[in-house]
Amino acid sequence: MVIKFLSCLSIFIIFLQCTLISAQQATPPAPPGPTNITAILEKAGQFTILIRLLKASQLADQIDTQLNNSNQGMTIFAPPDNAFSGLQSGTLNSLSDQQKVQLLQFHVLPTFLSMSQFQTVSNPVRTQAGDTGPGEFPLNVITSGNSQVNISTGVNNATVANAIYTDGQLAVYQVDNVLQPLALFGAPVPASAPSPVTSTPKKSPVADTPTSGNEPASPDASGAILLAINGLVATAGIVFLAGIWL
């Protein structure tokens, strides 16, 4: 009797285990969590400065929202901490908040690009910071025969080291330099020199110069001389008449 009970109990336990296994197999796998760019970079390591900038500018939230609410792909070039350390001292502090956002957006392409797609991309490439026109934050992709991908900004160059993350919609590539856009780090255009101001030279006053005895007398002086001569003649005439009379 006991043996029969144990046999039935064993059969029941085996049946229960099979039922549980079947139920587990029928349950679909949980969908992957929403894309989180900072979590991707944190898992990769050595991107603390980039993560801090993405959070401070709220660009991380914008990237996550765009990826999780649209089918639009995205490619991100991620400089590690040693790339930021290679910048000239005070570079980041010299940028305004808006310029920091533009610098980060310059590292983001609004399309998904696999490593093989870099070979056929058309230059200049538009970034999230602007457009493809001069001064609008474009960059150029340069590939070589050994599948090496280089990025040219017009100020500096960077090499794509490896893929940190890719899922068909988002691609994150590590680059060895911070991409410096020409619009922020290019040499300033020298200001044109003001045209010289031409001033009319002032006429110097005519200095009174002494006249020599040989120079002709002025009209006023001639008149005075003539009056003096006439006076002498008249005086001489009076004296002559007086002498005759006496």
Side-chain angles (χ1 to χ4, degrees), residues 60-146:
D61 294 335
Q62 297 178 20
I63 291 174
D64 293 342
T65 300
Q66 182 175 336
L67 289 172
N68 294 316
N69 295 284
S70 69
N71 295 324
Q72 184 177 358
M74 189 176 294
T75 301
I76 298 177
F77 299 114
D81 293 338
N82 59 3
F84 281 98
S85 299
L87 292 174
Q88 186 176 357
S89 178
T91 296
L92 292 179
N93 291 333
S94 67
L95 300 177
S96 65
D97 291 340
Q98 180 182 357
Q99 289 173 330
K100 289 177 182 177
V101 171
Q102 291 174 325
L103 176 63
L104 294 172
Q105 290 177 329
F106 189 64
H107 290 73
V108 181
L109 306 184
T111 55
F112 172 83
L113 290 177
S114 65
M115 286 296 293
S116 60
Q117 288 176 319
F118 281 116
Q119 305 289 332
T120 58
V121 73
S122 298
N123 289 316
V125 178
R126 184 171 74 90
T127 67
Q128 288 278 59
D131 210 327
T132 57
E136 296 181 348
F137 297 88
L139 52 78
N140 292 291
V141 175
I142 305 169
T143 58
S144 57
N146 57 359

Side-chain angles (χ1 to χ4, degrees), residues 1 11 33 37-38 109 155 186:
M1 186 71 179
I11 293 172
I37 184 60
T38 56
L109 306 184
V155 175

Side-chain angles (χ1 to χ4, degrees), residues 174-208:
Q174 179 177 332
V175 290
D176 61 349
N177 284 317
V178 177
L179 303 179
Q180 301 179 34
L182 187 63
L184 296 181
F185 298 96
V189 178
S192 58
S195 57
V197 179
T198 57
S199 59
T200 304
K202 296 181 179 180
K203 295 182 178 180
S204 58
V206 179
D208 294 334

